[in-house]
Amino acid sequence: MIYPKKELAQLVIEYCAAYEVVHVVISPGSRNAPLTIGFTNHPQVKTYSIVDERCAAFFALGIAQQTQKPVALVCTSGSALLNYYPAVAEAFYSDIPLIVISADRPKHLIDVGDGQAIRQENVFKNHSVYNANLIEGESYNDENAQQISTAIQEAILKKGPVHINVPFDEPLYETTDELSIENKGLTIDTIKKEQVSNFEEYASLWNNSKKKLVIVGTHYPNRKLQNQLSELVKDESVLVFTETTSNVYHPAFINSIDKLIFPLSDNDFKKLQPDVLLTLGGMIVSKKIKQLLRKHQPKHHWHVDSKNALDTYHSLSHHFKIKDTDFFQKFLKLTTPVKSDYQEYGSILKQQRKEKHSQFLTDIEFSDFKVFDIVLDSLPDNSHLQLGNSSVIRYSQLFDINNSLTVFCNRGTSGIDGSTSTAIGAASIAKNQTIFITGDVSFFYDSNALWNNYIKNNFRIILINNNGGGIFRFIPGPSSTNALEYFETPHGLTAKQLCEMYHFEYCTAKNEGELKEKLITFYKAKNTPKLLEIFTLGTINEETLKRYFNSL
Ligand SMILES: Cc1ncc(C[n+]2csc(CCOP(=O)(O)OP(=O)(O)O)c2C)c(N)n1
């Protein structure tokens, strides 16, 4: 076996292995040579080499999003580390475990005019769940061992990003065939489950309320939760709102929140205003529901999550600090059905919107709206869908999506800077075919994502090119200025040359007929990944979407 001679590198690597960190994404550099040598020679670890640190970090995030286990990142000193920041922030707000391991110069070489040296300690302080600043030294050090162990445990327990800064002095490339540190093999503490003592009190409130709204945010697919929510919705005083990224389905759930609530006046919404609002999962995409519930607050808002409780609706009254499935396991036993027309009101609205939606589609021009209707309908069963920000995720919320799909989007920070890299990372680990739908600005922004040796041949990108950030035509504001181009940023670019350069099969569609024809073979097996670029016009998109909402 080959090991780095530096004991500090051995320590970091052996702890990662002890905690079963399987995937390690490495970006090139010299200062991190001891870590690169060690990880690439470790039999338990699968290493990846990705040059651009921003892409590397989002790729790692995609793997961690799918495995729900921490993925490690390794980079050299200097600005390399700072390029991880967008993905670190996304991981922080999306509860995804990442272990950032940065090589550094020893303390006495910082701020003295040495090259590639910046202040690395605690750079992610505001968006991380732990920071370990290791101490440079030749031999085993208890404090370093404790710091590394705690950092990895925290990433797992708190489901978030941690940073381990590892200073190395030269020489950096020396190896040894014996592990000189003792692997302490610490075990992970089990999560201390909070004892929720007053379940009965909350159940009593629940059982005495006629209007109970459950909102599920971003959630990893979970059959148990799906069954529990299906049980809950048997009670006619319960309405369940879900989003495309909630990954739970039931005919009685309201899966297009915006479509349902958009046409409601403030007075109409009062009928939906809940007595009890129960929320679970991560971020909510629908802006409208946040606005309306902040204005018409529930009497009680309870959030269920083993980690966080965000006061999204400015009315949080209780945090059940427990896993949602554990919560429902206890809570369901205490609930009794209540006579109410609350759910029925929601169902009637849902049915009305469904009919208007179908009617609207019978006679519209080729536009982003039409593209979503055709593309979402074409997705193969059981495929894994990754969505870009921002109008892509918003359009997808207006349609019924095939229940067999799993759907993800970087909604932690809603950035456009790493969606492609995340999708490629997720695809590298997903069992089923991954399809990524993106807008053009996001796609060109993260085009270095394609500089990646791990892209599966069955990976598919659907690029909706409306020549700029279409979202800025819909939101109120940009069009009323004389600087729309600074928001929309039209560019006239296409993905053709990028596809040539990165060996993607490239095809295009400019109208409904072409799109339907291209989709017939698009998902079929091929010896390269494929990209379908669909061209639409911003002006028509804008007009169509406005007409849609007016038609509801
Ligand atoms: C890193 C980052 N920079 C800027 C933004 C602001 N922003 C949100 S959406 C968007 C444009 C996205 O355009 P595109 O990818 O073409 O998608 P479309 O809106 O046309 O669907 C921008 C610039 C952001 N979310 N993240």
Side-chain angles (χ1 to χ4, degrees):
M1 280 287 290
I2 299 172
Y3 301 99
K5 197 159 173 204
K6 294 243 177 259
E7 287 198 348
L8 194 50
Q10 291 183 11
L11 203 58
V12 171
I13 293 160
E14 289 308 311
Y15 266 111
C16 282
Y19 282 104
E20 296 173 3
V21 175
V22 177
H23 302 278
V24 180
V25 183
I26 302 174
S27 295
S30 210
R31 193 59 51 171
N32 53 340
L35 295 163
T36 303
I37 293 165
F39 275 123
T40 51
N41 280 290
H42 201 290
Q44 247 175 277
V45 173
K46 179 168 169 45
T47 49
Y48 304 80
S49 169
I50 296 178
V51 175
D52 180 327
E53 285 86 5
R54 178 160 59 84
C55 300
F58 276 109
F59 176 87
L61 181 107
I63 299 178
Q65 173 204 70
Q66 291 307 305
T67 57
Q68 306 267 287
K69 299 224 165 89
V71 173
L73 282 157
V74 175
C75 72
T76 190
S77 64
S79 59
L81 176 63
L82 303 184
N83 282 291
Y84 284 157
Y85 215 142
V88 167
E90 177 61 34
F92 184 73
Y93 287 109
S94 283
D95 297 334
I96 295 177
L98 282 184
I99 300 169
V100 173
I101 308 170
S102 56
D104 198 356
R105 274 145 168 76
K107 258 204 164 90
H108 67 274
L109 292 178
I110 307 298
D111 287 344
V112 295
D114 229 38
Q116 221 179 303
I118 65 165
R119 300 170 194 179
Q120 294 187 189
E121 292 191 348
N122 307 314
V123 278
F124 304 128
K125 197 171 97 210
N126 284 340
H127 297 99
S128 52
V129 296
Y130 195 79
N131 289 275
N133 299 302
L134 305 188
I135 305 151
E136 215 272 329
E138 287 312 309
S139 56
Y140 182 88
N141 169 319
D142 265 346
E143 196 187 325
N144 279 339
Q146 189 56 52
Q147 285 280 306
I148 300 165
S149 173
T150 309
I152 304 174
Q153 282 187 39
E154 290 292 274
I156 297 166
L157 297 173
K158 293 195 176 147
K159 297 184 288 182
V162 297
H163 176 204
I164 306 176
N165 193 54
V166 198
F168 292 122
D169 216 340
E170 291 175 19
L172 299 162
Y173 290 88
E174 288 182 328
T175 58
T176 164
D177 52 11
E178 249 174 72
L179 199 60
S180 52
I181 57 140
E182 202 184 330
N183 177 13
K184 299 245 161 163
L186 292 187
T187 50
I188 301 162
D189 286 338
T190 48
I191 297 178
K192 290 173 202 76
K193 281 188 188 157
E194 181 156 306
Q195 286 309 312
V196 186
S197 50
N198 43 6
F199 251 83
E200 279 80 8
E201 186 194 316
Y202 290 95
S204 160
L205 262 173
W206 181 268
N207 292 335
N208 282 302
S209 303
K210 284 183 182 300
K211 290 158 81 185
K212 285 152 318 204
L213 179 63
V214 180
I215 304 184
V216 190
T218 301
H219 209 292
Y220 190 79
N222 185 322
R223 192 151 296 243
K224 189 169 177 189
L225 179 69
Q226 162 130 340
N227 292 340
Q228 290 169 328
L229 290 172
S230 305
E231 200 51 44
L232 198 68
V233 85
K234 284 181 185 164
D235 179 343
E236 60 189 25
S237 64
V238 176
L239 254 179
V240 178
F241 279 13
T242 63
E243 298 207 309
T244 306
T245 45
S246 308
N247 290 303
V248 284
Y249 303 95
H250 186 280
F253 295 172
I254 307 288
N255 56 347
S256 289
I257 305 177
D258 283 345
K259 188 160 78 184
L260 190 101
I261 61 177
F262 184 84
L264 299 180
S265 65
D266 268 16
N267 244 352
D268 290 338
F269 188 77
K270 285 208 175 105
K271 289 191 212 149
L272 284 178
Q273 182 180 16
D275 298 325
V276 180
L277 171 67
L278 180 68
T279 56
L280 46 133
M283 295 288 192
I284 291 290
V285 179
S286 170
K287 223 174 182 164
K288 189 88 184 156
I289 193 73
K290 289 179 213 167
Q291 283 167 352
L292 282 172
L293 282 174
R294 280 173 193 167
K295 194 161 173 193
H296 307 286
Q297 293 184 353
K299 288 191 195 110
H300 312 277
H301 172 203
W302 310 334
H303 187 72
V304 187
D305 189 284
S306 58
K307 182 184 162 189
N308 280 337
L310 299 178
D311 190 6
T312 306
Y313 309 98
H314 303 167
S315 55
L316 185 71
S317 46
H318 189 71
H319 176 196
F320 287 98
K321 205 168 181 199
I322 180 173
K323 235 168 78 179
D324 46 30
T325 44
D326 292 345
F327 168 82
F328 283 118
Q329 190 150 355
K330 290 186 183 176
F331 195 68
L332 275 171
K333 287 186 195 133
L334 304 173
T335 59
T336 47
V338 177
K339 221 165 158 41
S340 163
D341 56 7
Y342 189 54
Q343 192 182 105
E344 197 192 352
Y345 179 59
S347 308
I348 292 170
L349 289 180
K350 183 178 171 179
Q351 191 52 35
Q352 284 171 356
R353 304 287 186 268
K354 217 180 159 95
E355 283 160 20
K356 295 271 170 135
H357 180 101
S358 309
Q359 252 172 29
F360 180 78
L361 272 164
T362 54
D363 183 26
I364 59 165
E365 283 188 81
F366 191 64
S367 55
D368 284 357
F369 196 91
K370 187 76 183 167
V371 167
F372 272 90
D373 180 47
I374 296 170
V375 165
L376 293 176
D377 197 42
S378 75
L379 298 169
D381 283 349
N382 301 311
S383 45
H384 171 85
L385 185 61
Q386 292 272 338
L387 299 172
N389 283 307
S390 147
S391 55
V392 169
I393 175 74
R394 293 188 189 281
Y395 269 113
S396 75
Q397 302 250 85
L398 301 174
F399 293 83
D400 288 341
I401 287 196
N402 179 337
N403 291 357
S404 70
L405 303 185
T406 51
V407 188
F408 294 85
C409 175
N410 283 348
R411 289 306 293 183
T413 63
S414 307
I416 58 165
D417 41 1
S419 301
T420 314
S421 299
T422 305
I424 291 172
S428 77
I429 209 84
K431 280 193 214 85
N432 298 335
Q433 180 172 36
T434 300
I435 296 134
F436 171 52
I437 308 179
T438 178
D440 44 283
V441 177
S442 318
F443 176 75
F444 292 117
Y445 194 123
D446 190 24
S447 66
N448 264 3
L450 306 183
W451 184 9
N452 181 306
N453 292 326
Y454 314 96
I455 304 179
K456 283 188 176 166
N457 286 339
N458 68 357
F459 181 61
R460 298 288 178 269
I461 299 178
I462 296 177
L463 163 59
I464 303 173
N465 189 341
N466 49 28
N467 193 29
I471 189 75
F472 296 109
R473 285 183 173 264
F474 309 136
I475 55 172
S479 303
S480 66
T481 70
N482 62 355
L484 179 61
E485 75 263 33
Y486 286 84
F487 298 96
E488 193 189 22
T489 56
H491 47 70
L493 300 172
T494 84
K496 187 164 185 267
Q497 279 81 11
L498 281 171
C499 284
E500 248 169 65
M501 176 172 163
Y502 291 116
H503 309 295
F504 267 64
E505 184 179 296
Y506 176 70
C507 56
T508 61
K510 292 188 195 66
N511 56 51
E512 188 175 336
E514 275 180 22
L515 178 58
K516 286 185 169 157
E517 189 205 315
K518 297 289 162 65
L519 286 170
I520 296 171
T521 53
F522 185 64
Y523 307 108
K524 297 220 165 102
K526 197 74 202 261
N527 55 359
T528 58
K530 298 186 201 174
L531 182 147
L532 167 60
E533 184 163 27
I534 306 165
F535 294 97
T536 63
L537 281 176
T539 45
I540 294 180
N541 294 336
E542 180 186 359
E543 197 250 333
T544 307
L545 195 66
K546 280 187 183 147
R547 260 198 327 117
Y548 173 73
F549 279 113
N550 287 335
S551 80
L552 286 174

